[in-house]
Amino acid sequence: AQKITQTQPGMFVQEKEAVTLDCTYDTSDPSYGLFWYKQPSSGEMIFLIYQGSYDQQNATEGRYSLNFQKARKSANLVISASQLGDSAMYFCAMRDSTNYGGATNKLIFGTGTLLAVQP
Amino acid sequence: DGGITQSPKYLFRKEGQNVTLSCEQNLNHDAMYWYRQDPGQGLRLIYYSQIVNDFQKGDIAEGYSVSREKKESFPLTVTSAQKNPTAFYLCASSIRMTGSYGYTFGSGTRLTVV
């Protein structure tokens, strides 16, 4: 069965420093997609970054980058130059590749990491 | 602007009462999803729908029901059979394809049993 594991329930980082949020995944399918979402205290889910299993380069979006290590099945999120507004819950997710006669595009989520940025 | 609207933002339910959470999207997305989030936990899939008049159970469908009569709408009913309904409910939609298409989420409904 496909699974996402986030082993860091909470993390602290000083403002302006970089931080890495860990994510490991388990799947037997060669084709999959990995996502990171940010959830502020208000509750909405904000898409940050995407990595496809066949992508040759690690994904980057502004201050966000994804350290994709396929052999280790890890997809860690790196936030550079942390800001106070980065304080939030962060979720790693994987697209369910099970095919029921058509792509389902279901996302499987990890349990999240609560990031606190300190001034 | 296109997006997903969930209503109400807060909902209180009495024991034994059915309640319906609304989810409307104007993104022309084919697929819609309902997730439940409990404190300190990730999102768990309740139901999903890939096209109108079709939907499938997710991992925790017991005590919930849905309908998909229109492409834009995917309401979730929390029935009295759901023994622990207090949670944060998130609706999402996506294009019905693989690739880099993730979800667009609504702002959520917080349901509390009183």
Side-chain angles (χ1 to χ4, degrees), chain A residues 33 35 37 39 41-47 50 89 91 95 100-112, chain B residues 9 31 33 35 37 40-43 45 48 50 88 90 94-103 105-107 110:
Chain A
F35 300 78
Y37 284 87
Q39 186 180 42
S41 58
S42 54
E44 77 269 28
M45 297 285 282
I46 303 167
F47 167 74
Y50 167 83
M89 195 76 164
F91 290 98
R95 175 180 292 111
Y100 297 106
T104 67
N105 207 28
K106 291 189 298 177
L107 290 185
I108 301 165
F109 287 84
T111 52
Chain B
K9 191 174 180 66
Y33 312 81
Y35 283 86
Q37 185 179 22
Q41 296 189 30
L43 280 65
L45 183 64
Y48 65 101
Q50 297 186 80
F88 187 57
L90 282 161
S94 73
I95 299 172
R96 185 172 165 254
M97 293 174 58
T98 55
S100 64
Y101 301 106
Y103 287 5
F105 281 89
S107 56
R110 197 167 297 278

Side-chain angles (χ1 to χ4, degrees), chain A residues 1-46:
Chain A
Q2 295 174 316
K3 187 179 179 181
I4 291 284
T5 302
Q6 294 180 257
T7 58
Q8 305 156 312
M11 288 194 68
F12 290 97
V13 64
Q14 289 294 124
E15 195 177 5
K16 300 180 184 178
E17 291 186 350
V19 62
T20 297
L21 306 184
D22 294 341
C23 172
T24 58
Y25 59 92
D26 187 19
T27 180
S28 56
D29 199 307
S31 176
Y32 51 88
L34 296 158
F35 300 78
W36 276 92
Y37 284 87
K38 172 184 178 181
Q39 186 180 42
S41 58
S42 54
E44 77 269 28
M45 297 285 282
I46 303 167

Side-chain angles (χ1 to χ4, degrees), chain B:
Chain B
D1 287 339
I4 295 183
T5 301
Q6 286 188 246
S7 61
K9 191 174 180 66
Y10 299 96
L11 186 58
F12 298 90
R13 191 194 95 167
K14 295 181 180 179
E15 293 283 352
Q17 190 179 47
N18 291 358
V19 291
T20 297
L21 283 59
S22 171
C23 178
E24 303 276 335
Q25 55 101 357
N26 60 3
L27 299 164
N28 200 33
H29 283 174
D30 296 300
M32 298 186 74
Y33 312 81
W34 275 105
Y35 283 86
R36 168 179 171 144
Q37 185 179 22
D38 293 285
Q41 296 189 30
L43 280 65
R44 292 183 291 167
L45 183 64
I46 304 172
Y47 268 98
Y48 65 101
S49 168
Q50 297 186 80
I51 55 174
V52 174
N53 293 322
D54 184 61
F55 49 83
Q56 288 80 39
K57 293 181 179 180
D59 301 318
I60 55 166
E62 185 175 352
Y64 300 96
S65 66
V66 293
S67 63
R68 187 86 186 276
E69 298 176 0
K70 299 187 300 182
K71 188 175 186 178
E72 301 79 19
S73 178
F74 191 41
L76 174 74
T77 296
V78 184
T79 74
S80 57
Q82 172 49 239
K83 299 307 179 187
N84 185 22
T86 295
F88 187 57
Y89 292 86
L90 282 161
C91 178
S93 70
S94 73
I95 299 172
R96 185 172 165 254
M97 293 174 58
T98 55
S100 64
Y101 301 106
Y103 287 5
T104 300
F105 281 89
S107 56
T109 293
R110 197 167 297 278
L111 174 63
T112 304
V113 173
V114 296

